[in-house]
Amino acid sequence: MKISRNKILKWGWIIFFSPFVLLILMILLVMIGVFGSLPSFKDLENPQRKLATSIISADGVTLGTFHVENRSPVNYEDLSPNLVNALISTEDIRFYGHSGIDFNSLARVFVKTIIGGNVTGGGGGSTITQQLALNLFSERSTNKIKRVMQKLQEWITAVKIERSYTKEEIIAMYLNTVPFGSNAFGIRAATQTFFKKDPADLNIEEAAVLVGLVNGPTMYSPVRNPERALKRRNHVISQMCKYGFISENQRDSIKNIPIDMSKYSQQDHNSGLAPYFREMIKRTMNAKKPEPGNYNSDADYQYDLYQWENNPFYGWCGKNTKANGENYNIDRDGLKIYTTIDSRMQRYAEQAVEEHIGKYLQPTFDREIKARKRLFSEDLTKKEVDNIITTAIKQSERYREMAKAGFSHSEILKTFDTPVKMTVFSWTKGDLDTTMTPRDSILYYKSLLRAAFMVIEPQTGHVKAYVGGANFKYFKYDAVKQGKRQVGSTIKPFLYTLAMQEGYTPCSEFACIQPRIELPSGEFWEPKSTTRDIHRGKMLTLKKSLALSDNWISGQLVEKFGAQALADMCHRMGIHSHMDAVPALCLGAADVSPFEMVGAYATFANKGVHIEPFFVTRIEDNKGNVIGAFVPESNEAISSETAYLMLNLMQGVVNHGTAISLRTLYVPAGQIAGKTGTSNSQSDGWFMGTMPKLTGGVWVGAEDRSVHFSGLRLGGGSNMALPIWGIFMKKVLNDNRLNISKDDVFEKPVNIQLNFDCDTVDTTEDVENRQENENIEDNRNLF
């Protein structure tokens, strides 16, 4: 059968045009949404991304983030030119010449594919704009038909993006969407993770490393695959030279530079500065309305309820909504939370805790435990110790998971006596890989000393440093705000405040004799003496008795003014924890958090005005709009005259009393008011100290109160806690940027005309106190 020429031509044209007609038809179907909706202009303006919330210090340093994906957007102006040049030369050299689709690259890819060649990085045909479209709005499919439809969606979306944005905006959007591995999403997170830099500060070789990660975050990871990463980086360097962004000499010299990963740190909730502080912020912002059944103390419930009702920051996420009516999500909405923390002071505070406990106190305690051959107090019976261990076992995650899986109690206990490989925290070595039984690991952690340290600016209430524990990765419990321990003699300044406001002065004298106070039960309370025989029965000034932390005169004062008056004074100055109005309260028989204690002590340095410790000034949304601004709450607790008298009393503690090692070892000059404190059996060591511009408080102790030093020489607050404050303040005073000077003075009220020169001559007690502290230093030098 003979086919006419016209029919051949007809079918030839049909075959020739069919692919184009089919392509146009498919594009039309994609555009009308047959294969899924395309993004609107609104979608392009507000792509649905999980943006990290940034926690920013008062001096502009990002302390860390809250995130599902660690992603914080940047603008084009925030990018290093090296980064832009590396990206364009490697991924899309004709970026500034096309409108979203590079048909030259598509043709080249088509020819290479037909011939059988492989497409290499940078030659895949997809422009930066297409990759952005895929990153923003598509899920990659392995189905070939779906992938064709997806590619058409990318093309159309890319054209939309090109019409809606400038080239610079597209580059910034693209770099904000790219995953770089190591839990870094977007260029800001990547530069912080790999180089501890902002995107604007990248040099050529660093920019090349990050651009090399774009198409293979794992394959080209400089941490997991350093050799591949180096080859990939050098390929990017060659591309930059090929297209004239760098010279041949630069190319050759840079290729010889190794990749520096010395500052690499994967950004997660456990790393970075102030992890306990950041978690406290999150806990506060996400707080729900308090329920009384969740509290051990009605005082704590009433305080939190008051905060919920009156403090706009407390439960902020649940109280505030976005334009769409949804509550803010701190992990997804890309907020910027501006805090009062000073990153330099925070670093000094963390260093001070690590230096004192890691280099001295924990090794000293370990030696004492080894020498006495027991961990727990000798007052405990074997049964009581066993109960402590059993309780710890049952509270462990291992026990809970095995019980949930159906194992019996005896089966679980057997595993606790089987050695396994594990990583534990060590004060001296950080992460320590070892092999031990889970039971031994519990005992090991029971032997570790913990610490809490907070510093505020008394005139504003701004929290400047916040160390909630030993290591947030291993210990999530925040000992600054959640932890409450007996405060010991650090409560005595509030007792002496009662005397000052009733007309007594630092030079007023009391007889050093034991008081005998009758209790409602008919029994008598008689405090033990803490002073040596040389002072007993003699007259002591209040300044001297506080310097010596004398219990007998404290007992006389509480008998005179009443325990309820002492509790009321503590509450007025910022302590909200419950206090039993009993005579023993004058010796610190109350559990209080360091957060409360620091706020209360700052009242003295702020002329009697208490300001609730304050830690967030404002919150911005991801567009930079201020959506929350906060001011601290304050009240006049005592008169400025009373506050100044108390500062004078507490300066005697530092200059002549139990805190004199602060002068001999750390801060020899400058006005410092302070008080040491030690609870029963040395379970808790405290030091509260204030200079005119900074007030700080330190608590040190073990998790269990039955784990402690055997005596006051090592277990007292002057040895346990005071050195942390001293090390910190020494670092602060040496940093001129912080504007904290030894020349700062407490402002004296104009109407105070008193003689403060009592007790200026050293007594035998002063000399003995100094000698005791010198002996402590001698012992430290031996270790």
Side-chain angles (χ1 to χ4, degrees):
M1 181 178 176
K2 194 172 181 179
I3 301 175
S4 68
R5 183 181 173 191
N6 288 339
K7 187 171 283 191
I8 292 174
L9 288 173
K10 175 184 175 182
W11 281 105
W13 284 114
I14 290 174
I15 292 170
F16 179 79
F17 282 110
S18 290
F20 298 99
V21 173
L22 181 61
L23 178 62
I24 293 170
L25 178 62
M26 291 173 67
I27 290 174
L28 290 173
L29 292 174
V30 168
M31 292 182 70
I32 63 176
V34 172
F35 302 106
S37 60
L38 289 171
S40 64
F41 184 79
K42 182 179 179 181
D43 294 326
L44 294 172
E45 287 289 337
N46 301 285
Q48 296 301 308
R49 288 176 287 165
K50 301 167 186 175
L51 299 179
T53 288
S54 298
I55 313 301
I56 302 169
S57 72
D59 54 320
V61 174
T62 299
L63 300 173
T65 61
F66 300 127
H67 58 265
V68 175
E69 293 180 352
N70 184 19
R71 187 196 310 273
S72 299
V74 299
N75 297 319
Y76 182 82
E77 295 76 19
D78 302 322
L79 302 175
S80 164
N82 298 320
L83 183 65
V84 176
N85 295 339
L87 178 66
I88 290 172
S89 62
T90 307
E91 293 296 317
D92 190 358
I93 191 58
R94 283 180 288 275
F95 174 71
Y96 290 105
H98 62 66
S99 298
I101 303 171
D102 186 353
F103 290 101
N104 290 338
S105 292
L106 287 176
R108 174 168 46 80
V109 170
F110 179 77
V111 171
K112 282 188 176 183
T113 303
I114 295 298
I115 295 174
N118 293 321
V119 180
T120 57
S126 290
T127 64
I128 288 175
T129 316
Q130 285 176 263
Q131 293 179 52
L132 170 61
L134 181 61
N135 289 339
L136 286 177
F137 310 109
S138 301
E139 293 184 2
R140 290 170 174 79
S141 175
T142 56
N143 183 287
K144 291 183 179 180
I145 296 177
K146 288 184 178 181
R147 183 66 188 119
V148 171
M149 297 299 104
Q150 192 177 62
K151 181 60 71 173
L152 293 176
Q153 288 178 315
E154 289 172 24
W155 288 0
I156 296 169
T157 302
V159 172
K160 271 192 167 188
I161 291 173
E162 289 277 351
R163 290 178 178 176
S164 303
Y165 296 97
T166 65
K167 290 289 186 178
E168 289 74 19
E169 289 172 327
I170 291 171
I171 286 178
M173 289 176 67
Y174 172 76
L175 288 171
N176 284 332
T177 63
V178 175
F180 289 89
S182 295
N183 199 34
F185 296 84
I187 190 62
R188 187 189 296 279
T191 56
Q192 286 294 322
T193 296
F194 290 98
F195 302 114
K196 278 287 186 292
K197 286 186 175 182
D198 289 327
D201 300 326
L202 293 175
N203 59 34
I204 295 172
E205 58 266 30
E206 292 166 343
V209 169
L210 295 181
V211 169
L213 287 169
V214 165
N215 287 322
T218 301
M219 178 179 293
Y220 300 121
S221 167
V223 178
R224 301 180 63 177
N225 296 301
E227 292 183 3
R228 286 180 182 173
L230 183 61
K231 290 180 180 178
R232 180 64 178 167
R233 184 206 68 176
N234 289 345
H235 168 73
V236 176
I237 295 297
S238 296
Q239 291 293 102
M240 294 179 73
C241 177
K242 177 180 177 180
Y243 294 113
F245 291 111
I246 60 175
S247 66
E248 291 184 358
N249 287 337
Q250 284 180 295
R251 177 198 62 193
D252 294 339
S253 62
I254 292 174
K255 280 188 173 183
N256 291 321
I257 300 174
I259 297 178
D260 181 9
M261 284 289 100
S262 61
K263 295 182 179 179
Y264 170 83
S265 176
Q266 186 166 324
Q267 305 296 300
D268 59 25
H269 303 303
N270 296 321
S271 62
L273 277 174
Y276 288 95
F277 176 77
R278 301 194 320 258
E279 185 62 24
M280 183 269 288
I281 286 178
K282 185 175 186 178
R283 192 170 64 242
T284 305
M285 290 181 69
N286 286 334
K288 306 298 182 184
K289 185 174 182 179
E291 299 290 341
N294 297 330
Y295 291 82
N296 296 324
S297 161
D298 183 64
D300 289 342
Y301 165 67
Q302 293 297 336
Y303 173 78
D304 280 356
L305 183 62
Y306 175 85
Q307 291 294 314
W308 169 266
E309 293 174 344
N310 297 278
N311 184 346
F313 185 70
Y314 193 101
W316 187 87
C317 288
K319 295 176 181 177
N320 295 271
T321 57
K322 296 176 284 189
N324 62 7
E326 296 178 355
N327 288 113
Y328 282 97
N329 187 312
I330 199 171
D331 292 313
R332 296 172 180 267
D333 288 336
L335 307 176
K336 289 186 177 180
I337 301 174
Y338 291 87
T339 75
T340 61
I341 287 284
D342 186 287
S343 68
R344 297 155 297 188
M345 291 192 195
Q346 178 66 31
R347 185 170 287 106
Y348 295 152
E350 293 179 6
Q351 289 172 354
V353 171
E354 292 170 3
E355 287 177 22
H356 175 57
I357 299 185
K359 294 181 179 179
Y360 163 65
L361 199 63
Q362 187 65 54
T364 302
F365 190 45
D366 291 342
R367 282 188 289 272
E368 180 175 302
I369 292 172
K370 185 177 180 180
R372 72 192 188 195
K373 299 181 180 179
R374 68 176 190 281
L375 172 60
F376 296 94
S377 171
E378 61 183 0
D379 297 332
L380 295 185
T381 64
K382 183 180 182 303
K383 183 178 180 180
E384 288 172 327
V385 172
D386 289 342
N387 286 339
I388 291 174
I389 301 303
T390 300
T391 300
I393 287 174
K394 289 183 177 180
Q395 291 175 345
S396 69
E397 184 177 357
R398 181 188 297 270
Y399 187 97
R400 290 196 301 268
E401 291 296 323
M402 292 188 70
K404 187 177 179 181
F407 290 92
S408 68
H409 177 69
S410 59
E411 290 174 323
I412 298 174
L413 289 184
K414 185 177 180 180
T415 67
F416 272 81
D417 293 317
T418 304
V420 294
K421 291 183 179 180
M422 63 177 70
T423 302
V424 298
F425 168 75
S426 166
W427 273 111
T428 56
K429 298 179 180 178
D431 294 337
L432 178 63
D433 294 326
T434 186
T435 299
M436 65 172 72
T437 68
R439 183 186 297 273
D440 286 340
S441 72
I442 288 175
L443 290 169
Y444 170 74
Y445 278 129
K446 293 288 185 186
S447 73
L448 292 183
L449 296 171
R450 317 294 174 90
F453 183 25
M454 189 174 88
V455 179
I456 71 174
E457 189 176 67
Q459 291 76 23
T460 63
H462 287 188
V463 176
K464 292 299 178 184
Y466 190 107
V467 183
N471 184 292
F472 188 72
K473 177 181 176 181
Y474 292 91
F475 311 106
K476 305 299 185 188
Y477 187 74
D478 176 7
V480 166
K481 209 165 190 290
Q482 294 176 311
K484 295 189 177 188
R485 298 292 283 259
Q486 280 200 358
V487 295
S489 293
T490 56
I491 202 171
K492 289 177 180 176
F494 307 120
L495 175 64
Y496 280 63
T497 298
L498 290 171
M500 295 302 105
Q501 73 176 10
E502 292 299 322
Y504 291 89
T505 75
C507 295
S508 298
E509 294 185 329
F510 280 71
C512 187
I513 57 176
Q514 185 178 38
R516 193 167 187 263
I517 302 174
E518 186 173 4
L519 304 176
S521 64
E523 297 178 324
F524 289 88
W525 180 73
E526 298 176 291
K528 295 180 181 179
S529 174
T530 53
T531 57
R532 293 185 172 93
D533 293 342
I534 188 174
H535 293 300
R536 294 182 186 180
K538 297 183 179 180
M539 301 300 290
L540 289 180
T541 64
L542 290 179
K543 189 170 185 178
K544 187 68 175 179
S545 65
L546 185 63
L548 299 175
S549 200
D550 181 74
N551 286 347
W552 283 359
I553 291 180
S554 294
Q556 293 177 47
L557 291 175
V558 81
E559 183 178 26
K560 186 175 186 67
F561 300 113
Q564 187 59 57
L566 172 57
D568 292 342
M569 175 60 71
C570 291
H571 294 323
R572 193 156 68 243
M573 294 186 70
I575 295 174
H576 58 77
S577 293
H578 172 74
M579 291 182 165
D580 290 323
V582 297
L585 180 61
C586 73
L587 306 184
D591 286 357
V592 182
S593 71
F595 187 88
E596 299 168 81
M597 290 296 289
V598 174
Y601 264 73
T603 305
F604 296 121
N606 194 35
K607 303 178 181 179
V609 176
H610 170 69
I611 300 179
E612 188 72 7
F614 177 68
F615 38 86
V616 170
T617 56
R618 74 181 190 275
I619 301 174
E620 293 180 359
D621 65 15
N622 57 26
K623 301 295 184 182
N625 302 309
V626 176
I627 54 177
F630 312 97
V631 293
E633 182 181 354
S634 63
N635 66 281
E636 186 174 346
I638 56 177
S639 69
S640 60
E641 292 80 11
T642 298
Y644 187 79
L645 292 174
M646 286 308 306
L647 289 171
N648 181 266
L649 278 165
M650 290 189 288
Q651 287 180 76
V653 176
V654 174
N655 295 332
H656 305 288
T658 58
I660 195 170
S661 62
L662 198 60
R663 289 299 193 201
T664 59
L665 302 178
Y666 305 106
V667 188
Q671 291 191 354
I672 304 173
K675 185 70 187 77
T676 56
T678 310
S679 67
N680 291 337
S681 302
Q682 304 80 237
S683 295
D684 308 281
W686 290 80
F687 180 73
M688 307 299 302
T690 183
M691 293 187 76
K693 293 182 180 179
L694 287 179
T695 302
V698 184
W699 166 84
V700 176
E703 178 185 36
D704 287 88
R705 302 188 194 210
S706 56
V707 177
H708 51 72
F709 280 102
S710 297
L712 271 172
R713 189 178 68 85
L714 294 177
S718 60
N719 188 61
M720 291 250 283
L722 178 148
I724 292 174
W725 197 98
I727 294 168
F728 166 79
M729 195 57 68
K730 187 175 181 179
K731 292 175 184 288
V732 168
L733 290 171
N734 286 335
D735 190 337
N736 295 328
R737 300 171 299 172
L738 299 176
N739 195 31
I740 306 295
S741 168
K742 62 180 178 58
D743 297 323
D744 298 331
V745 296
F746 296 112
E747 185 178 343
K748 183 178 180 180
V750 294
N751 55 340
I752 283 191
Q753 304 293 331
L754 294 174
N755 174 29
F756 293 108
D757 291 335
C758 53
D759 299 324
T760 55
V761 179
D762 283 352
T763 66
T764 303
E765 184 72 26
D766 292 323
V767 175
E768 290 170 347
N769 274 332
R770 283 189 170 89
Q771 186 61 50
E772 180 174 328
N773 282 287
E774 289 167 4
N775 288 338
I776 291 174
E777 175 64 9
D778 291 341
N779 287 327
R780 291 179 61 171
N781 288 335
L782 295 175
F783 302 137

